[in-house]
Amino acid sequence: MAKRSLWRTGSKLAATLLAGGATATIATSDDPAMTLKLCTAVPVRLARDTATAASIAFDYEYSLWGLPEGSDERSKIKHDVHLRSAHKLQELCFKNGGIYIKLGQHIAQLEYLIPEEYVKTMRESMLNKCPVSSYDQVCEVFKKELGETPDKVFVEFDPVPVASASLAQVHVARTADGQKVAVKVQHTHMTDTAAADNASVEFIVNTLQWIFPSFDYRWLVAEMRESIPKELDFLLEAKNSEKCLDNFRKLSPHIADYIHVPKVYWNLSTSKLLTMEFMDAVQVNDVKAIQRLGIQPNEVAKLVSQAFAEMMFKHGFVHCDPHAANLLVRTLPSGKRSILGKQKPQLILLDHGLYKELDFATRFNYAALWKALIFSDANSIKENSIKLGAGEDLYALFAGILTMRPWNRVVDPAVDHLVIHGNDSERSELQMYASQYFPQISELLRRLPRVILLMLKTNDCLRAVNNSLMQKSSAETFFIIGKVSSKAVVEAKKLQRRSFISKIDIWVEELLLEARLWGMRIALWLLQFRRALPGLG
């Protein structure tokens, strides 16, 4: 209740500040002290926002004035403006912190959906360099939430955080019964200014869209407005984590042992404090550390693909922030090894604040779309893309964004048609497409449902993780996606059709699917064998 009241206060304040009524807001607020704090912090942020937005808008308008579309000179100048503007936005995000860092992280994960200069600038800074709250601020959160300082709650508490993210930071501690735990502590300024900051960010994006109609990223602001309050509620995050693990146990028991979620200590957790089992594991993109554990990186890549395919196509409850810092790897606790004697991996999922539920129709259509993409079925790609909101005019672009492949590769019948090798020529080709179709991409993102936009973000995160493990995408991971999505489509049809005749049709479809999957598997083996032989790769 207090949290909702705070968000209402913040939202009212944001609107009032934009209209210039800060004094009246303080006088009528239920919490004058908090509102006074907001009134001193938000105007500074808003002034920075306005100055940055104006500077970026002027730079684009002035620098590109009179340069013909498609000319080499315009392309070069636009690259320079993109780079300057990205650095200005980066500086703004770091100065304001909080939600602005989150915005920068979103941008860093939208590869090829926005100019490369923005993605690269944000990726190099926002994912690993977040501001840290002082120990005094941590103590302030503890006193408000648990009534005691950390040294009174735990027998040991390291005042130096082991990790810091946009919304919180993590400390290592030890409970009274000797258990080593990780304590996630929300940054104190987050709930103070989150609602007002969100309104300010919305103001900037709306202003830029008004000046440049093709720059329409209002969907990103709308998504943040909905997701940030949920991510700030650590009790909701804890419930999400338990539901995620329960889904694997009930719906995907064949891989449940290979997925782990840290245990939550509910008696030491609140909406702003989350105490969890400490995980001794390595980050999913640390290839050398994974190899030192005796685990093959390609096995980790396959496990990540399978875990998220199961979530998307079978569970309908998807972890939508799977960047490298939120995925850890350790050896399977049971000690079970592969046929070749290698350690088997266990994937540990962290940070369960951002989840999306896919309703039955969306999950079915999304699974059917991926099945069609894997098997190069152009008609089914079009049909299911339209059902998901891409429209008859942009379905090919939607397929291209999902796979990061041009349409001629999407419908290529080769078994490795979706594999991205990551070389310079492919990267240049993708960037050229992104630049060429920027207005259409903006229109597509505007019309797609937000849940599908989050699936795009999730795909981008998973693609980055896969690339760090394999240095390129893998035909094997696409096979896994094809297998899980295909079987999910069949299972969905079983639920929809109950007549005897329909059940026979589905049984035949299952047999044909198994044959098709085996054919794809054999083709992959032959491809790998061919590449393994000198002179034939």
Side-chain angles (χ1 to χ4, degrees), residues 453-471:
L453 293 173
L454 267 185
M455 293 303 101
L456 290 177
K457 173 182 178 271
T458 302
N459 283 340
D460 287 338
C461 290
L462 294 173
R463 188 179 294 112
V465 167
N466 191 77
N467 288 345
S468 66
L469 287 163
M470 308 287 291
Q471 305 307 312

Side-chain angles (χ1 to χ4, degrees), residues 83-155:
L83 202 56
R84 285 196 300 270
S85 300
H87 284 293
K88 290 173 187 175
L89 188 57
Q90 176 196 52
E91 185 180 0
L92 174 71
C93 291
F94 275 127
K95 282 184 177 179
N96 284 353
I99 281 179
Y100 293 83
I101 297 287
K102 201 73 179 174
L103 175 66
Q105 290 176 341
H106 273 288
I107 292 172
Q109 292 161 352
L110 295 172
E111 191 173 13
Y112 306 120
L113 299 186
I114 64 174
E116 179 202 11
E117 294 83 356
Y118 285 87
V119 172
K120 189 174 181 181
T121 300
M122 297 302 172
R123 184 170 289 176
E124 288 173 351
S125 58
M126 294 293 167
L127 295 179
N128 297 311
K129 300 176 183 177
C130 293
V132 175
S133 294
S134 68
Y135 182 63
D136 286 342
Q137 290 173 317
V138 170
C139 288
E140 183 184 331
V141 175
F142 264 82
K143 286 177 183 177
K144 285 182 179 178
E145 297 300 302
L146 298 177
E148 297 283 359
T149 54
D151 58 302
K152 299 289 180 61
V153 176
F154 298 99
V155 293

Side-chain angles (χ1 to χ4, degrees), residues 240-288:
N240 286 343
S241 71
E242 292 194 341
K243 181 176 179 179
C244 170
L245 192 58
D246 192 52
N247 281 343
F248 276 102
R249 288 171 179 162
K250 292 179 179 177
L251 303 175
S252 306
H254 54 293
I255 66 163
D257 289 343
Y258 297 88
I259 308 297
H260 186 74
V261 170
K263 171 189 171 184
V264 175
Y265 289 77
W266 288 96
N267 61 320
L268 296 172
S269 298
T270 71
S271 62
K272 296 182 184 179
L273 279 173
L274 182 57
T275 303
M276 304 163 285
E277 170 189 10
F278 180 83
M279 304 309 308
D280 186 11
V282 301
Q283 208 161 284
V284 74
N285 62 347
D286 191 341
V287 175
K288 290 182 178 178

